[in-house]
Amino acid sequence: MLSASDIRGMMAMMPAFATDAAADIRATDTVSVERLRAGVDRMVRDGADVIATTGSFGECHTLLPAEFNTLAHETVAVVRRRIPLFIGVTSVNARETVEKMRLVADTAADGVLLGVPYYFPSTVENAIRFFRDIAELFPKLAILVYHNPALHHVTLPVEAFEALVKIPQIVGMKDSHRDTTTFLRLQEVIHGKISVMCNALQYVPYAQLGAAGFWSIDAWMGPWPFFALRDAVARGDLTAAKAITLDLAPPVTRKPNLSWRETASKIAIAMAGYVEPGPLRAPFLEIPADVIETQKKRVERWQRLCAKYKGAYEAAPKRAASA
């Protein structure tokens, strides 16, 4: 089983690659195997350190059970253990999570991206029990805690990790936006046992405090700016890493619109052309004109960043994962 030391660098949060028929509310087979194979293989070959599927951006909430089965098996097949792979199993109820875990256990996936059931808010005590129960049922699967308070309606405080760190299957966490003081306290509890993948814009300071890496959705527009950030931090060039972070930061900070956050990212990825994610799934079909225009500008800016950082990255010695 993977250990915390295996979870590091840049984690690409994978889209649920869709067929052209995916927008049809009657469709029952909307995972594009062809697009998935091409996109995931390219991301692994280009240098991602970890892949995680079926989070919110990966549409854990839109896939039918048979589609989840297809996505899980095909992703495992294309990654081929070249880098750590976590299949997302977060569900609206715990029994559905268990069914997904059983499916993942029959694949060669390294582990699961696991969030608490999210329709009604959980207490912290019940969230801890949920993680413990899942780990006991599936002792051979590594667990990457999926901590998304905005969508899962529960925040896992530092105190919760006094219990979670005792669960050996928990080797990492995709975390969201803890402040620096809280992050320092968290590291006092989990250091060396649970690797934290933080938001990319936090990575420069948080790497100095113990973060093992960062997660990204935007990498699917072209990963090179994120590789530049990862590699600058790895070689200790904090001046370059700070400059890259400022390049990555959006020019205007706005309050997130949950209706057009992950969904808008998929629109931008389709425009950028690095991979083909396919169309949006129902019911996210009527797209406001201002959302489209914003994504066009976002992609234009991102492509300039890719042009800036791609050459130096591709000129560097190739990583073992690209074999």
Side-chain angles (χ1 to χ4, degrees):
M1 188 172 68
L2 293 177
S3 67
S5 62
D6 297 309
I7 316 305
R8 57 177 176 73
M10 191 205 80
M11 180 167 70
M13 305 302 298
M14 195 183 96
F17 293 89
T19 65
D20 291 343
D24 187 339
I25 200 170
R26 300 163 296 180
T28 59
D29 184 13
T30 70
V31 173
S32 172
V33 172
E34 180 180 3
R35 287 169 175 158
L36 185 155
R37 288 175 178 170
V40 174
D41 185 62
R42 183 174 190 186
M43 183 61 74
V44 174
R45 285 181 175 274
D46 279 346
D49 299 287
V50 183
I51 298 279
T53 81
T54 31
S56 54
F57 170 65
E59 300 186 69
C60 64
H61 54 290
T62 69
L63 299 181
L64 299 175
E67 294 173 324
F68 174 81
N69 189 344
T70 297
L71 184 143
H73 279 89
E74 292 295 338
T75 307
V76 168
V78 73
V79 172
R80 302 195 312 275
R81 290 195 178 276
R82 288 177 287 174
I83 60 174
L85 169 63
F86 292 88
I87 302 295
V89 295
T90 305
S91 306
V92 73
N93 69 75
R95 291 176 300 126
E96 182 179 338
T97 297
V98 170
E99 289 299 307
K100 290 179 178 177
M101 292 284 296
R102 287 176 178 150
L103 185 152
V104 175
D106 287 335
T107 74
D110 297 293
V112 294
L113 175 68
L114 178 64
V116 298
Y118 52 81
Y119 190 87
F120 284 114
S122 170
T123 64
V124 171
E125 292 76 15
N126 277 311
I128 292 170
R129 176 171 178 167
F130 171 74
F131 285 112
R132 184 183 295 118
D133 288 348
I134 291 292
E136 289 175 356
L137 283 172
F138 300 94
K140 295 182 179 179
L141 282 174
I143 294 173
L144 186 71
V145 172
Y146 180 17
H147 188 223
N148 189 339
L151 295 180
H152 299 169
H153 312 301
V154 60
T155 297
L156 298 175
V158 171
E159 294 75 19
F161 288 87
E162 298 283 357
L164 294 176
V165 78
K166 296 175 183 177
I167 302 172
Q169 292 92 330
I170 296 179
V171 298
M173 174 167 59
K174 175 189 179 290
D175 206 8
S176 295
H177 313 295
R178 292 181 196 266
D179 62 40
T180 52
T181 302
T182 307
F183 191 84
L184 277 169
R185 290 177 179 147
L186 178 67
Q187 287 297 316
E188 289 289 318
V189 176
I190 68 171
H191 184 67
K193 297 179 180 178
I194 298 176
S195 288
V196 177
M197 309 297 275
C198 65
N199 182 285
L201 296 181
Q202 295 175 310
Y203 186 50
V204 172
Y206 281 27
Q208 314 313 304
L209 305 179
F214 59 92
W215 53 268
S216 171
I217 291 171
D218 289 348
W220 299 92
M221 291 194 291
W224 298 284
F226 289 116
F227 292 159
L229 173 65
R230 175 197 64 192
D231 295 349
V233 170
R235 66 177 181 266
D237 189 348
L238 295 185
T239 299
K242 291 174 186 177
I244 296 163
T245 299
L246 292 175
D247 271 351
L248 292 172
V252 178
T253 301
R254 297 184 178 91
K255 184 178 180 180
N257 179 346
L258 293 183
S259 295
W260 299 105
R261 187 175 67 173
E262 284 85 349
T263 309
S265 292
K266 191 174 179 183
I267 295 169
I269 289 164
M271 291 177 180
Y274 175 76
V275 298
E276 293 183 51
L280 302 182
R281 292 177 174 85
F284 306 101
L285 303 178
E286 299 295 332
I287 307 165
D290 66 305
V291 170
I292 297 291
E293 188 58 32
T294 297
Q295 299 318 305
K296 287 180 180 177
K297 293 177 181 178
R298 178 183 178 188
V299 169
E300 289 170 358
R301 178 176 175 272
W302 194 261
Q303 288 177 330
R304 290 194 295 270
L305 291 179
C306 286
K308 178 177 180 178
Y309 292 109
K310 181 180 179 181
Y313 178 76
E314 291 189 336
K318 293 298 181 183
R319 295 155 45 84
S322 64

